[in-house]
Each structure stands twice: as structure tokens, then as C-alpha cells.
Amino acid sequence: LSVLRTTPVAVDGSFRFDAVLLGSYALDVLDGNNRVRARETGLALGANGDVVTRNLTLIGLGNVGGRVRNPNGTPAAGASVSLWSANPVIGGFRSATTNAQGDYRMTGVPVGVFTASASAGQALGEATGTVGHDGEEVTADIQLINNAVTLPANRYDANNFFFDVQANGSLLTGTSSAYGGDFGSNRGAFLLDVVRDGVATRFTGAAIGSTEE
């Protein structure tokens, strides 16, 4: 049995649902624009008289914008821009199109890391950034390149050996799963660590790379 109920939030931020059927529930908080701003899952009522209390904090929203430039440096008018928010609660995809000056802007981007990708014809580009707090304006300019490749990408050499190149430049399994390892956390080849002051940081790369002939 699926149950959907709503209740307004009082001026002091409190809310309450009474006479709720026993079972498992999730809570969503929607703002005045009907956008989900907070979510709590795994709420369970197992016996008559159970009382469950949850306090929720609205997730901040910022704005992301920038300029997309063609490979020759001119503004990329009419380019398609896709932004992915990695916020684990309300993240997801948003899209926009650049204006005549190559500018784009997306509102309501959740606090957290994001990746903005742009395309114009065969040219691709990508930028990453972070919305740090509610109301922040973040600039993420994107440079398009002609020799772009979307990763992961599968390639074959003259011997028909298989190379599944990942975003961090590594190979995932290779021909006949030669680099498969335990097919869990211990697999792959050509992993790159950047070492500074004796501290190793695994190179993460990006979803868009470049190729050289």
C-alpha cells in the first residue's frame, strides 16, 4: 500500500503527521518553487504508538554560469551545456544553451561538486567546480577542443588487442580481462599516482579527454 501525504511547515519550521499507518516512509521537503530541498529515508513505524522524530535542513542552492569558447577562442554561440550535480540527495542533470556571446547560466544548482560539459558540432569541453554555500555564484568557463574524446572509450590496436580506457587514463580490464584482478576494487592497469611531499594522490582525470594522432 502506497501512501502520499503532505503537510505545511509552520512558521517555526516544525511539522507533524498524525495517524500514520504502520510501515516504512520517506520524507521530502519542497520549497515554494516545488523543488525538493531535503530528503530523509528509512523512517519506520513498527508498532501502534510509535513516534518518529526527524529534523531536516534545506540543502543550499547556487548558480553556475560561464562562457564557452570554440577551439579558436571565439565565443561558442548556441552550444549545448549539460551540468551534473554530484549532491547525493538532490543532485542530477541540468541543461542550457549558450547565447550569442557564448554565455550560459543555470540556477538552483545544489551545494556540492558539479561537472559542466559543452558541445558544439564535433568539439567538446568540460569544467568542474563546487557550489560551496546557498546563493553562491560560481563561474565555470569551458574551452572546446577539436580532438576531444568522451571517456570511458574502447580502442583496439593493430593486433586487435582491446583497451578500455577510463576517465583517469587507466585500463579497466583489457583483452581477455587480463587486468581484471578480482573484478572488484583490485582491478585495472596503468594507474597514475601524483606524489607530492611523499603523499600519493590518485589521478582522477575527467569524462572528456583529448587524443593525439
Side-chain angles (χ1 to χ4, degrees):
L1 177 64
S2 178
V3 177
L4 176 63
R5 292 176 56 180
T6 62
T7 189
V9 176
V11 293
D12 63 356
S14 64
F15 66 94
R16 182 181 177 92
F17 292 94
D18 291 316
V20 179
L21 295 175
L22 300 182
S24 297
Y25 293 91
L27 282 174
D28 279 352
V29 181
L30 281 67
D31 64 14
N33 294 313
N34 209 36
R35 296 175 299 194
V36 175
R37 297 288 298 278
R39 175 172 292 147
E40 184 79 19
T41 61
L43 285 71
L45 295 172
N48 290 332
D50 277 358
V51 176
V52 176
T53 301
R54 288 293 187 276
N55 297 320
L56 298 97
T57 301
L58 299 186
I59 295 171
L61 302 176
N63 304 312
V64 177
R67 177 162 294 182
V68 180
R69 295 187 179 278
N70 290 308
N72 63 4
T74 60
S80 298
V81 182
S82 175
L83 182 145
W84 176 71
S85 166
N87 185 285
V89 180
I90 60 173
F93 284 93
R94 289 158 175 75
S95 60
T97 302
T98 59
N99 61 17
Q101 290 73 44
D103 297 329
Y104 75 95
R105 188 170 187 267
M106 300 189 196
T107 61
V109 179
V111 165
V113 176
F114 66 84
T115 300
S117 304
S119 62
Q122 299 300 311
L124 302 173
E126 181 179 88
T128 59
T130 302
V131 177
H133 57 80
D134 186 62
E136 184 177 14
E137 296 281 345
V138 180
T139 299
D141 295 331
I142 303 174
Q143 177 64 53
L144 300 178
I145 57 176
N146 282 323
N147 60 336
V149 58
T150 301
L151 299 170
N154 296 333
R155 296 292 186 267
Y156 294 85
D157 67 9
N159 296 309
N160 205 35
F161 287 163
F162 171 62
F163 299 86
D164 44 354
V165 184
Q166 305 302 297
N168 63 358
S170 70
L171 301 182
L172 186 62
T173 58
T175 300
S176 301
S177 299
Y179 310 120
D182 61 5
F183 294 96
S185 58
N186 298 303
R187 66 173 174 176
F190 304 111
L191 299 170
L192 174 63
D193 285 340
V194 179
V195 181
R196 179 178 180 182
D197 297 330
V199 178
T201 301
R202 179 61 47 86
F203 178 70
T204 56
I208 295 177
S210 60
T211 61
E212 297 291 340
E213 297 296 335

